Structures are given as structure tokens and as C-alpha cells.
Amino acid sequence: MVETRPLEDDAARPILVPNEVWRDPERSPDERVDDLLARLTLAEKVGQLGSRWALNDMTADADTAAAAAPDAPAGPGSDAGDALDPDEVLNVAPMQDVFAASGTIALEDAAAHGLGHLTRVYGSVPITPAGGAAEVMKQQRVVTNASRLGIPAIVHEECLTGFTAFGATVYPAAIAWGATFDPDLVERMAAAIGRDMAALGIHQGLSPVLDVVRDYRWGRVEETMGEDPYLVSMLGTAYVRGLQGAGVIATLKHFAGYSASRAARNHGPVPMGRRELIDIMLPPFEMAVRLGRVGAVMNSYSDIDGVPAGADPWLLTEILRDTWGFEGTVVSDYWAVPFLTSMHGVAADMDDAGVLALEAGIDVELPDTLGFSQHLVDRVASGELEEAVVDRAARRVLRQKIELGLLDPDWTPEGSVTRAEQVHLDSAENRALAREMAERSVVLLDAGTALPLMGEGRPAPATVAVVGPAASDPRTFMGCYAFPNHVLPRYPSRGLGIEVPSLADALAAELPDARLVHARGCDTRGDDRSGFAEAVEAARQADVCVVAVGDLAGLFGHGTSGEGCDAADLTLPGVQGDLVAELLATGTPVVVVVVSGRPYALGEIAGRAAGLVQAFMPGEEGGSAIAGVLSGRVQPSGHLPVQIPRHPGAQPSTYLQPRLGVGNDGITTLDVTPLFPFGFGSSYTQFAIDGLELSATEIATDGEVTVSARVTNTGDRAGDEVVQLYLRDVVAQVTRPVLQLVGFARVSLEPLESRRVSFTVHADRTAYTGRDLHRIVEPGDVHVLVGASAGHLPCRAVLRLTGETRVVGVDRVLDTPVHVGPAERVSG
């Protein structure tokens, strides 16, 4: 048994005694887990499968929350017109107000037999790093003292746009990562997030989101990295490497199919067949498991063809573990286990829901223990549940705790947060990284006649009207999982907790010699047009008008984008479209900046605007990044991870479609041709892509080919281009996409500089799921296309695959290695 001795603050440190293999760091993880499982009672094994959200009890009471962080500075606020009604319920998880009441058991009681996880110590209330660290130590002491063997809990937190904590850096939303087409940058960002979290005792981060966009109306588009499986795969796996390299377990979500709900309704049913699921939705998860060696996966809330993901052994066990070899833990999305009863109706009650989820392959229930409670002990005793199923999940949780060092003899609650006093959650280094990410994510759609504002040969404007809700409210730069939008609307006196200059402020700094006139015009939501007249007059008196419109992220109806904030169509929210129309009618050149979490239909604006820019929620440094692009100081280099539609109602339609899903050919009145295609991005220089070469025109169905093309900066400014490789399967067993991205490279070039980009393409990259649901590579012609977007592919060739149709398994090649050659000068 484990002996203990008292420490300060009633803490207890386990002392290694002879034959305690489970506490011996010199023994293998398997040996340690075997030893510990043999010592645990069934009730203690079950205890490791649960969690407790202790600070959730405080979120309904602002005074209590403030008391938890008495030294928390208020931070800057905003002059936003979009305010939260103080009487409204603000949940940070679905149906939190309903289920929180069921989870108010004291932490001491919840941990009586041990506890798997502690939920969101930092991300539930505005608490300082020091205050949060003290709370982590306090809760860990309760957990270790309450149970017989003193096993600590894993502490998890959200980290989609940075560590979701008060005062932490807010990086761009995930959809902006997609716009960078830069896995290395995403990995560096994730590593910075992980370092901050690890320093404060956080063991697991609930990111990244690997859902592939299928319908732009879905509120959580902002949390995704785009509509292409390969782009999401590469960036998501890079995030996993960065976060886990810093010592924090990454969590893939939402497994799987969540983003394809009917009518883009959050938590809606997913009417998807196995083939589409396997070929479109699962590849990002497979790459992150097989190549990223991710440590955790979270189930989707959705049911796919009638089977809830949280109760699907085919998905959670056969595919994830038996096929892909996943060895980590599966954690439930918040209250997904009781949802099997209340939302899906596949379980009679919460106890039955717990059995279903556990048997399917969920190992830990989050955020509180409801379905994985001690009733599982009774189910085993009655023969309704095999103890081996409990052991299976407990083994995975305990192994993870061993790998995290939580069961080492020198681990203490105090030691887990030893660097708390040195942590600056919004350091200069973090902000520089956030700025780099923001600048690389802004997409120039059309320079028009006005951009850049300070271009050569064009006098700088003397007077600039800055209009629109996204010009004055810095919250529009942040996603729904950024702390200022996620939690702080409940605490308006706390401001934002970090410095976030608005676009108006950033433009004032960017254009010091210009006179800026600001008029809000309207709010993000609502139908109030009372500010139109002031905005129109400001535009009339200016040399140029910059109007910034788009989204304000929130949760469950408290925003125009974000979880539970789905859209009926792709019209700009509220009366923002009407505001833009009135500004365009003034005759003043109008530059339209869309700051949003989803693409909006811009067909009524493009061609009339003097410039058009898309910024996907660029984070705390978004104002500077957008202003830099507008002025010309920053060379725009972002490319679209989603299409920009022309019409608000011709959706859903991502670029990844079979022949019947594109064009209209006179057979329908709906034309889904985008205004700007997937992968598109303009700049203030020009690029040419040519010189396509294939190392062979025929390869076997298990061979590989090198595809190369030359990219040249033909303009007079340095810049980055994203070279993109697509394939088209000409004839197949089933319908195939007319185009599919299989490789990309971001290339930096000086003026009149050229580089050759080479892609190594294995035949496995043409694999798809055939009629019998086996993934195959088959002989035949494949079109090879290289260019700068799905709509601009000047380099084309035909590759023939020869030999027998080959069934490919889990050992297939998942990625397309790319090599960028040395720079060469070209004649002007």
C-alpha cells in the first residue's frame, strides 16, 4: 500500500515503498499499469472514468467569480454596440444550465474513488494565472486526499484560438489557420500555446477541430480549417505536433461527421453514407492519429445515418483503434453521454447511456460524471456489463497519467505549477506569433482601384472614413472559443483582459498623416439603421471609405458565428449589407473588409467595391494585420480555405463535388459557381506558374511520380504564393470529385525570382472508397493540375496508372512530400 506524510496546506505526498511497481519510473508503462489495475477495486477503476467541473458552479454568479480572481485587472473594453443582456443565460457548453445542476456534487465526494479529469479550471471564470494555479493545486489536493491511492487527475482546458484563459493571447481562429496554408506556422503557434498551458498545470487541450466544412451556414465553420480534407489533415496534424511537443495532449474533435449536419443545424442529424464519411470526413483524423500520434480523441454529438457517434463501436473502436492503431483516450464531448438519452433516444436513461458509451469506446466522460458513475459497478455485478470493458478504459486513462508523470513518486500538486509566477500569458513573443499568423491569413480578394492605400504612384488619402461594426469592435477579430467572447460577456466590467486594438485604431496608427473619420453605421446584428446617415455622410466627405463588416462570434445564439450560431443563408448578418450598399452609392471609393468566421455571399459587392478583403477572425493582432494589408505595408498572402459564394442561397456547395454538384448546364436554375474559388488569394505583386514536368507519364498502381512546376514572381514586390496540386480521376467505380487537392507549398519569392516546386505523389494518393466500401487504387487516367487555386490551374498533364486494381489498407501513403528548390533569377 501507499504510505503518506502530511505537507503544507494538508497536502500529501506518496512515498515509494518496495514492490510498488506502479510508482516506479524505471519500469515500463505497461508494467506500471498492470500493477496499479491489480490494486484497484472496481469502484476505483470506475472513478478514473469520470470528471468534475468544480468552477462551473461559479459561472452563474459574477460576484463569486470575481472573488476567485480579486487581483484580476479589468483590462481594456470596447465601445461595441452589440451588448449581452445581463439577464440572458450564457452557456459555454450546450445545455450547460440544464446539466450543471446534476453535477454539483462536491469535489471531495466526486473523487472518493478517484477521478479521471478536472474540467476547465482556468477557462470558466476570469481568474489570473496565479489564482488559477492556486485553484489547480487546491483541486488536485482534494482529489489525491479523497481517494485511497491518491491518484491525481488530468487537468484539461480549451485551446482552439489559444489557451482559453483570462489575459491569454488570442490567436486567429482556426479558419484563419487554413488561410495561411502554412503547417510550420501552425505548429509553432500550437507549441507556444502548449508551453503556456503546461506551465500552469494543464495536461490536455481540447483542440484541434478536424471537421471538414460541408455547408457554410454551419455556425462552427470558424472553428474548422476549411473545406478540403488534405488541407485540414496537414494543418491539424501540425497543431497536434506543436501542442504535444510542448507536453500537452492534443484532442481531435469532433469524431466524426459533425460538420455535415442536415441544413447546417448544430447538433443536427448527419445524413451521410459510409463512403463520404470515409473519404471526406475521416482522413484528417487518420493522419493526426497515424502521423501525429495524437493522444486523445473526442466524439461528435451527431448521429450519422441514425447511429450517434458516442455510441458507435464501428467508429470509436473498429476504425479508430483496430484499424488505425490509436492508443490514447477517447473523451466524450461535454454531456454527450446523457445526450444519448435526452437528444438521441437510444438509451432508456442516463445509466443505460453510460453503458452504451463505454462499450462503444468512450473512456472518460466530460465535463462531469453522470453516465459513468458508480452505477457501473452494479452493472458489472449483475452481469449486464463486463468488467473487462471497465478495465479497458481505466487502463487507457492510467497509462496516460503515467506518461504525463502524474504517478511518479515525486509528483505533487505544487510541483505541477511551479512556473505559474513566471508565466505571462500574453507575452511579446506570443503577440509577435499572433501577428505573423494574422498577417499571413488575410486574403486579398480584389485590389480594385484603391488598394494599396499607399501604393506607388498613388497619393495617400487625406481623409479616410472608417465605417462598420467590425471597424470599432475588436471582439469581431476573435472566435467563439476566445476567452473574451467565450466567458467575458458575462463579466462586462472585466473588458477584454488583453490589448486588442480595433481596426479604426490600427488604421490611425498605419496612416498617421491621414484624417480618419469614424462612424459605426450599424451593429453586427439587428435592424437598426439609425447610424446609416452619419456613415454615409462620413463616406461622402472622404477620399476613400473603409467599411468593415462581418461577424461577432458567440455561443448558442449570442453571436452571428460560433457554436450554436447557424445561419439561414449567406447574407451578411443584420443590415450590414444595406449599409454597404448605401456607402457604395455615395460615389466615394469604398474598400470592403469582411471580418468573419464563415464566407458570405459577396456577389452584390464585388465589382462595385474599390477593393475587397477577407479576414477570417484574425485574433488580437488582427487590426494591425488588416491595416497593414490595406496600406500596403503587409504583402497579402492568404488563400481561401473555403470558397466565397456569389449568391446567398445557392449553398451548400464546397468545391469538393462530383460532376453533378458543379455548374448548372441548363438543368437547374441554381448556379453554385463561386465568386472566388477555393485556394484563391491575390497580392500586390504577380506570379506565374508554368513548366509542368512529370518524372513519368505511366506508373503502376503501387508506384509514385514526381510532379514539378516553376513559380515565378513577375512583379516588383517580394511576396508568397501558394502552389497547389490537384488530381482528377477520369473514370472510376463511383462518382469522384472533379478536383481534389493532394499537395500544396507556400513559396516566398523576391521580384523576378523563380523556384521549382516538386511533389512526390504516390499512387495511394488516388485511392478512394469503391462500391464494396474497400479503399482501392485502380488503373486508368488521372489528370494532374497545378496552379494557384481550384479555379486557376494553368499546368495540366495526364498520368496513367497501370496494373491491377489494388486494395489499400492502413499502411497507405497519406501525404504528399513537397520540395521547394533554390531561387533563380529570371530576366525582367
Side-chain angles (χ1 to χ4, degrees), residues 510-546:
E510 192 76 28
L511 306 171
D513 296 328
R515 184 174 73 92
L516 267 64
V517 180
H518 173 250
R520 185 174 177 83
C522 65
D523 291 340
T524 306
R525 298 190 292 175
D527 58 3
D528 184 2
R529 293 173 167 80
S530 61
F532 278 24
E534 181 187 9
V536 167
E537 183 59 26
R540 285 196 177 115
Q541 300 301 318
D543 298 307
V544 65
C545 173
V546 174

Side-chain angles (χ1 to χ4, degrees), residues 91-381:
N91 289 342
V92 298
M95 299 182 70
Q96 175 184 340
D97 52 329
V98 175
F99 286 109
S102 301
T104 54
I105 182 174
L107 180 58
E108 292 88 345
D109 296 330
H113 298 289
L115 192 67
H117 275 238
L118 289 170
T119 295
R120 304 206 61 187
V121 175
Y122 292 90
S124 301
V125 296
I127 194 168
T128 63
E135 186 64 30
V136 168
M137 288 186 285
K138 172 186 172 183
Q139 292 190 28
Q140 287 283 30
R141 283 196 296 267
V142 170
V143 170
T144 53
N145 287 342
S147 58
R148 180 174 64 94
L149 296 183
I151 299 172
I154 291 172
V155 183
H156 75 257
E157 188 51 79
E158 298 283 359
C159 56
L160 184 58
T161 65
F163 183 12
T164 304
F166 185 68
T169 302
V170 177
Y171 296 92
I175 192 68
W177 315 347
T180 70
F181 277 74
D182 194 335
D184 292 339
L185 180 56
V186 171
E187 183 170 346
R188 286 195 285 125
M189 177 195 68
I193 294 169
R195 286 192 293 270
D196 286 344
M197 295 174 75
L200 292 175
I202 306 298
H203 308 112
Q204 182 169 339
L206 303 187
S207 292
V209 172
L210 297 189
D211 297 305
V212 178
V213 175
R214 300 301 280 168
D215 189 327
Y216 307 136
R217 296 172 298 175
W218 191 49
R220 304 189 80 167
V221 166
E222 65 168 67
E223 299 179 47
T224 77
M225 287 166 265
E227 66 184 61
D228 179 80
Y230 189 65
L231 178 64
V232 176
S233 297
M234 292 295 289
L235 298 179
T237 301
Y239 185 100
V240 168
R241 288 178 174 136
L243 197 73
Q244 295 194 163
V248 176
I249 297 168
T251 308
L252 310 182
K253 58 187 191 183
H254 307 84
F255 191 65
Y258 187 33
S259 56
S261 58
R262 184 178 281 121
R265 181 180 179 275
N266 194 39
H267 289 210
V270 176
M272 177 181 286
R274 284 277 171 95
R275 184 176 294 105
E276 184 178 358
L277 183 71
I278 292 170
D279 285 350
I280 304 299
M281 311 306 286
L282 296 189
F285 294 92
E286 182 177 5
M287 183 181 285
V289 168
R290 287 185 48 206
L291 304 187
R293 310 304 299 173
V294 72
V297 171
M298 176 182 280
N299 74 286
S300 164
Y301 286 126
S302 297
D303 59 73
I304 305 171
D305 194 24
V307 180
D312 190 352
W314 175 78
L315 192 62
L316 300 180
T317 298
E318 292 181 36
I319 293 294
L320 182 61
R321 295 190 184 277
D322 299 343
T323 302
W324 297 347
F326 176 66
E327 296 181 346
T329 55
V330 175
V331 299
S332 79
D333 206 341
Y334 283 16
W335 294 299
V337 174
F339 279 175
L340 296 177
T341 297
S342 61
M343 304 293 282
H344 297 293
V346 297
D349 54 31
M350 205 173 295
D351 290 355
D352 282 345
V355 172
L356 270 180
L358 186 63
E359 289 180 330
I362 291 180
D363 302 309
V364 181
E365 182 183 10
L366 303 181
D368 276 310
T369 306
L370 297 175
F372 280 13
S373 66
Q374 289 296 313
H375 79 89
L376 294 175
V377 175
D378 299 331
R379 293 297 180 105
V380 172

Side-chain angles (χ1 to χ4, degrees), residues 396-621:
R396 294 164 181 164
V397 176
L398 293 171
R399 183 184 178 93
Q400 208 152 62
K401 291 186 176 185
I402 287 170
E403 292 169 344
L404 289 166
L406 297 180
L407 303 190
D408 290 352
D410 60 349
W411 184 91
T412 63
E414 294 76 16
S416 68
V417 290
T418 53
R419 292 178 287 161
E421 296 298 333
Q422 291 80 44
V423 174
H424 182 194
L425 291 181
D426 193 29
S427 66
E429 294 79 10
N430 284 2
R431 293 195 72 103
L433 190 53
R435 186 179 312 116
E436 183 179 2
M437 176 71 76
E439 290 178 350
R440 292 196 177 199
S441 70
V442 177
V443 183
L444 176 65
L445 298 176
D446 184 5
T449 59
L451 296 179
L453 295 175
M454 299 175 65
E456 291 186 12
R458 179 187 296 123
T463 303
V464 179
V466 184
V467 177
S472 59
D473 188 351
R475 293 179 301 161
T476 62
F477 298 154
M478 299 179 278
C480 71
Y481 272 83
F483 198 86
N485 286 340
H486 196 67
V487 174
L488 289 179
R490 190 190 298 275
Y491 311 100
S493 65
R494 295 291 181 182
L496 300 181
I498 50 176
E499 292 290 338
V500 189
S502 69
L503 177 57
D505 292 337
L507 276 171
E510 192 76 28
L511 306 171
D513 296 328
R515 184 174 73 92
L516 267 64
V517 180
H518 173 250
R520 185 174 177 83
C522 65
D523 291 340
T524 306
R525 298 190 292 175
D527 58 3
D528 184 2
R529 293 173 167 80
S530 61
F532 278 24
E534 181 187 9
V536 167
E537 183 59 26
R540 285 196 177 115
Q541 300 301 318
D543 298 307
V544 65
C545 173
V546 174
V547 56
V549 293
D551 282 319
L552 175 59
L555 293 164
F556 309 111
H558 294 296
T560 61
S561 174
E563 185 173 0
C565 298
D566 310 313
D569 60 33
L570 298 177
T571 304
L572 283 168
V575 294
Q576 294 180 88
D578 295 341
L579 173 64
V580 173
E582 292 204 16
L583 295 171
L584 290 171
T586 63
T588 298
V590 176
V591 175
V592 179
V593 179
V594 181
V595 183
S596 64
R598 65 164 63 85
Y600 284 104
L602 303 179
E604 297 296 319
I605 296 173
R608 300 175 61 200
L612 190 54
V613 172
Q614 173 68 57
F616 290 110
M617 291 183 176
E620 65 180 36
E621 288 290 335

